[in-house]
Amino acid sequence: MSAALLRRGLELLEPPGRAKAPPGLQRGRVGPRAAGAARRRKRAPETGRNKATVKGRVVKSAIEEYHKKKPVNHLRENLQYMLKGRLVADKAVTEQVLAQNRGRKSKDQPPEKTEKKKPEGTVFTEEDFRKFEREYFGVP
């Protein structure tokens, strides 16, 4: 028989009024199993009632248990909550938040927007083109 089994047996035979020795006076263990052994020692079997008996047990209704565990659909309340506060943040603030959440690598950066160049308007009018055609090509 091991010393641990003897100690457990003696703990079971102790009268209920007598307290255990304070933890400081108990012999300390060293090693990887010390924590597990201490946990097992603390969890001594309770001397309460036998839980296998039916006496004093309240019969639970299966229907009530089903309704308790039945999932509840919170969609309508969530939608009302989300639609209630329609505060739209300023564009500068949203851009700042997005910039802070973006990574610093070049692959995380959005492509820079290039401004579209407006097609340059011509200085010449249709009259000038006709005049040019008449002078150089001799077309009436």
Side-chain angles (χ1 to χ4, degrees):
M1 217 182 219
S2 69
L5 285 174
L6 281 173
R7 253 185 261 114
R8 279 198 198 141
L10 290 174
E11 285 175 6
L12 288 174
L13 294 175
E14 281 181 349
R18 187 175 153 203
K20 295 181 181 177
L25 297 177
Q26 289 180 353
R27 187 173 47 165
R29 289 184 170 221
V30 181
R33 292 182 168 176
R39 230 179 276 123
R40 280 194 303 273
R41 248 183 278 121
K42 284 180 189 174
R43 210 181 326 140
E46 298 175 9
T47 57
R49 64 178 180 84
N50 187 1
K51 292 187 179 182
T53 62
V54 182
K55 185 177 180 181
R57 182 168 293 182
V58 178
V59 178
K60 297 178 183 175
S61 169
I63 297 171
E64 289 176 11
E65 291 295 315
Y66 169 75
H67 286 301
K68 263 190 227 175
K69 294 180 181 177
K70 184 175 152 187
V72 181
N73 189 1
H74 296 285
L75 176 70
R76 194 166 301 288
E77 295 126 40
N78 290 342
L79 281 175
Q80 286 176 351
Y81 175 76
M82 300 277 277
L83 294 174
K84 182 174 60 175
R86 279 291 184 173
L87 177 67
V88 179
D90 187 26
K91 181 130 176 102
V93 175
T94 56
E95 289 296 326
Q96 186 179 7
V97 169
L98 288 174
Q100 286 173 351
N101 288 334
R102 206 175 289 133
R104 294 180 66 179
K105 293 181 180 176
S106 63
K107 69 174 186 166
D108 296 331
Q109 299 299 321
E112 291 184 19
K113 297 178 181 175
T114 56
E115 294 182 17
K116 295 179 182 176
K117 295 182 180 178
K118 294 180 181 177
E120 294 179 11
T122 176
V123 204
F124 302 105
T125 60
E126 285 295 318
E127 284 291 320
D128 293 333
F129 283 118
R130 285 190 207 120
K131 186 178 176 185
F132 177 76
E133 282 181 17
R134 273 188 249 127
E135 288 178 8
Y136 286 97
F137 300 113
V139 178

